[in-house]
Amino acid sequence: MLDPQLADLRKTYAQRTLSESDVLPLAVPQFRRWLDEALAAQLDEPTAMTLATVSETGQPSARVVLLKGLPDDAGFLFYTNYESRKGQELAARPQAALTFFWPGLERQVRVEGRVEKAPASLSDEYFQSRPRASQIGAWASPQSQPIASREQLEQREAALLDEFAAQDPLPRPEHWGGYILRPHRVEFWQGRPSRLHDRILYELEGDAWHLSRLAP
């Protein structure tokens, strides 16, 4: 049954255009250009991205994480608990997809590629840059595992605050660190009127990126 309250929600996109002549020849530098524009526009959470992974049985799952770097202009870096659901799924199937959506600029970017663990040195450096409370949180939370109550988590946090009170810097847990998604497919989407959006696709063939336009 049609729900008019939802069915009638629509927005006309008309801010910008996107053509093959507008973009850079390499996918990640082009993404960096768009990210810089999102940062300059002071959008809410411009580094937020939906990360989709797949289990051994083929069940997809998705969640929002934060982009924390673009190593060598050739990858997308994020951090998490290696023992979380996404960590377990990436261990079983090291492929993933990312989606960025910047409604204030009427833009979307879709990324697909292979995922590898970031070098330990990079994870150590980022961990030491985090607020101490966030460092304790990485130690305290058995991410994605069932817990009895919120109180149990807070008690674990309090115990770790005492345990590490005299320790500075705090060591990085072995179960926490970075991943780098190495893309082989990146699509840039610019909203246009009448739902005739612009879509420019980069596909990696060997060492070269090839561009094409997709129908909306």
Side-chain angles (χ1 to χ4, degrees):
M1 184 176 183
L2 185 67
D3 185 339
Q5 186 176 16
L6 299 181
D8 292 341
L9 285 174
R10 57 179 53 85
K11 176 183 177 180
T12 297
Y13 297 115
Q15 285 189 24
R16 294 172 173 81
T17 64
L18 181 65
S19 71
E20 292 83 344
S21 62
D22 294 330
V23 298
L24 298 173
L26 302 180
V28 181
Q30 173 61 35
F31 173 83
R32 185 182 288 275
R33 172 187 281 181
W34 269 25
L35 177 61
D36 287 344
E37 292 177 10
L39 292 167
Q42 299 184 329
L43 303 181
D44 289 339
E45 297 287 10
T47 62
M49 57 188 188
T50 300
L51 166 68
T53 56
V54 181
S55 72
E56 286 186 288
T57 61
Q59 174 63 46
S61 62
R63 74 290 288 161
V64 176
V65 298
L66 298 179
L67 177 70
K68 288 299 179 181
L70 299 166
D72 304 320
D73 271 347
F76 294 76
L77 173 66
F78 62 94
Y79 294 90
T80 191
N81 187 314
Y82 291 143
E83 297 173 354
S84 65
R85 177 177 177 180
K86 56 186 169 296
Q88 294 178 35
E89 290 179 348
L90 287 171
R93 289 190 174 188
Q95 295 88 29
L98 306 172
T99 302
F100 296 83
F101 182 47
W102 298 312
L105 297 176
E106 300 176 353
R107 285 174 171 173
Q108 178 180 221
V109 182
R110 300 170 61 196
V111 184
E112 298 173 21
R114 186 170 181 84
V115 180
E116 61 194 43
K117 282 187 176 180
S121 59
L122 190 59
S123 295
D124 289 340
E125 181 181 6
Y126 176 69
F127 186 79
Q128 295 308 324
S129 75
R130 304 181 86 204
R132 190 172 179 86
S134 297
Q135 293 177 337
I136 292 290
W139 278 97
S141 175
Q143 193 175 104
S144 302
Q145 301 303 311
I147 55 175
S149 64
R150 173 76 190 187
E151 289 71 24
Q152 181 188 41
L153 188 63
E154 292 173 350
Q155 289 167 7
R156 173 66 174 157
E157 179 189 34
L160 286 164
L161 284 168
D162 287 341
E163 179 180 342
F164 290 125
Q167 194 161 351
D168 189 26
L170 210 61
R172 175 177 63 88
E174 291 187 5
H175 63 259
W176 188 97
Y179 288 102
I180 299 173
L181 185 148
R182 303 290 185 185
H184 58 75
R185 181 183 175 100
V186 183
E187 180 193 320
F188 294 86
W189 178 100
Q190 179 70 61
R192 296 294 304 277
S194 304
R195 297 297 185 259
L196 295 177
H197 311 301
D198 288 326
R199 298 173 63 188
I200 302 296
L201 174 66
Y202 289 71
E203 291 182 289
L204 189 63
E205 298 179 10
D207 295 327
W209 286 100
H210 292 264
L211 277 67
S212 59
R213 174 175 287 269
L214 301 180

